[in-house]
Amino acid sequence: MSKTTLISMIATAAAFLATPDISAAGGAPVIEDNKAIAPIVRKGSVPVNGIDYYYEIRGEGEPLLLLHGGLGQIEMFAPVMPIFTDHRQVIAVDLQGHGRTPLGNRPIELPAIGADLAILVKQLGYDKLDVFGYSFGGGVALNMAANAPDRVRRLVILSAPYAQNGFFPEMLPQQAAVGAAMAEMMKDTPMFLSYKAVAPDVSEFPKLLDAMGALMREPIDYSDAVAKLTMPVMLMYGDADMIRPEHMIDFYHKLGGGLRDAGWMRENMSKNRLAILPDLTHYETFASPLMANMAMTFLDGGDKAPNWAEQVGK
């Protein structure tokens, strides 16, 4: 296997791209709209069920829990973090085995991490908050919201399926191949370099690859979790995502959306939403300002356009 093929396989399976470092207070990068990332107001680690989860809190306003993708960390949201922290208090967490959070002595399982996070936010003092999760983090967010629906006000799931068959079939062998044997050839990749910059024990990287590979080989199906989602949910994908469009629609149908016309006065409108964003792959959605602004509009309660009757004063 060539190194190029290996890197492509890992990037495809884990969905992580390098992003600017936002860890240093006072050294936050400036983004396109000239808004700097809000400084950290609080950070630390919270032990939950044997995992010491690292977190950072930025900004002020209604709380929003932000969950990164596989082989990523908090920093991958740097390009859009100013949009999230503009009027929200963002609680960003490094998930099990990622970033500054050690792997611990248990497998990586989305329901278990989701249950952990429900406890974590309670320990941080939040009774209820909005949740946003991308890819791997989207699966965690789904399971957290299903496990503790009373803790989640609104939920955004970005570029994540509810079941393994949501991925294009050619993705599955690539995901299944992820493991410790790839670690040495990844030493110059953004995934390892970003991990190395913050991880408490860099020697755990091969173990993390093994744990993520084991997760991706599982024939997961969280249909039961989807059925437990009682809060408003927004599903978001790129039109060139690694998730099959048919699966996106099926996910939306399971939430009660897209089953009939909404009606002249939105009388049949679902409380849930589906957004398929143009010109975005799985590896770009998390850094898209279009995505972030659309997600925040939903999390803030929506922005309904005037209907035809309202436009003509009826």
Side-chain angles (χ1 to χ4, degrees), residues 90-154:
V90 172
I91 305 98
V93 178
D94 281 344
L95 298 172
Q96 181 186 352
H98 292 69
R100 305 154 190 81
T101 297
L103 185 60
N105 296 314
R106 71 180 207 203
I108 290 180
E109 297 174 334
L110 301 186
I113 299 174
D116 289 349
L117 291 185
I119 296 171
L120 182 148
V121 296
K122 185 70 172 179
Q123 291 187 4
L124 291 177
Y126 301 97
D127 289 325
K128 198 160 190 172
L129 74 178
D130 293 328
V131 179
F132 175 106
Y134 161 67
S135 194
F136 171 64
V140 172
L142 165 60
N143 280 278
M144 175 189 173
N147 174 270
D150 57 320
R151 300 275 175 85
V152 180
R153 189 181 72 113
R154 285 177 176 257

Side-chain angles (χ1 to χ4, degrees), residues 16-269:
F16 172 61
L17 299 177
T19 53
D21 184 5
I22 62 172
S23 59
V30 176
I31 313 303
E32 305 175 347
D33 59 5
N34 294 321
K35 290 181 182 177
I37 293 173
I40 296 171
V41 297
R42 182 181 168 192
K43 66 180 179 179
S45 293
V46 176
V48 183
N49 294 324
I51 305 298
D52 291 330
Y53 287 96
Y54 175 82
Y55 72 91
E56 294 178 353
I57 299 176
R58 299 172 182 270
E60 298 179 351
E62 290 295 317
L64 169 63
L65 178 64
L66 202 60
L67 306 176
H68 62 77
L71 296 193
Q73 53 197 231
I74 294 168
E75 282 78 5
M76 64 189 308
F77 290 117
V80 293
M81 187 67 82
I83 297 172
F84 292 128
T85 59
D86 179 57
H87 61 284
R88 290 298 193 103
Q89 182 161 85
V90 172
I91 305 98
V93 178
D94 281 344
L95 298 172
Q96 181 186 352
H98 292 69
R100 305 154 190 81
T101 297
L103 185 60
N105 296 314
R106 71 180 207 203
I108 290 180
E109 297 174 334
L110 301 186
I113 299 174
D116 289 349
L117 291 185
I119 296 171
L120 182 148
V121 296
K122 185 70 172 179
Q123 291 187 4
L124 291 177
Y126 301 97
D127 289 325
K128 198 160 190 172
L129 74 178
D130 293 328
V131 179
F132 175 106
Y134 161 67
S135 194
F136 171 64
V140 172
L142 165 60
N143 280 278
M144 175 189 173
N147 174 270
D150 57 320
R151 300 275 175 85
V152 180
R153 189 181 72 113
R154 285 177 176 257
L155 171 66
V156 174
I157 297 174
L158 173 64
S159 291
Y162 71 82
Q164 188 187 51
N165 65 12
F167 296 108
F168 283 105
E170 66 270 19
M171 306 297 305
L172 301 181
Q174 298 179 41
Q175 293 175 337
V178 173
M182 298 177 171
E184 185 61 32
M185 294 183 70
M186 290 183 64
K187 289 299 178 68
D188 295 327
T189 66
M191 290 79 78
F192 176 75
L193 293 175
S194 296
Y195 177 87
K196 179 182 177 181
V198 297
D201 183 359
V202 179
S203 70
E204 284 199 335
F205 189 68
K207 297 178 184 178
L208 173 60
L209 293 179
D210 270 343
M212 291 297 286
L215 171 67
M216 289 186 284
R217 286 188 289 274
E218 287 291 321
I220 61 169
D221 187 334
Y222 298 124
S223 295
D224 290 346
V226 174
K228 295 177 182 177
L229 300 179
T230 57
M231 70 295 297
V233 179
M234 185 173 200
L235 304 175
M236 306 185 77
Y237 300 93
D239 62 353
D241 218 305
M242 69 163 64
I243 314 301
R244 296 184 297 107
E246 297 88 350
H247 187 83
M248 303 174 193
I249 300 300
D250 185 44
F251 200 161
Y252 190 43
H253 283 170
K254 284 182 178 295
L255 293 170
L259 299 176
R260 61 185 299 185
D261 175 63
W264 178 257
M265 299 303 294
R266 298 166 67 98
E267 62 270 19
N268 300 320
M269 187 79 167

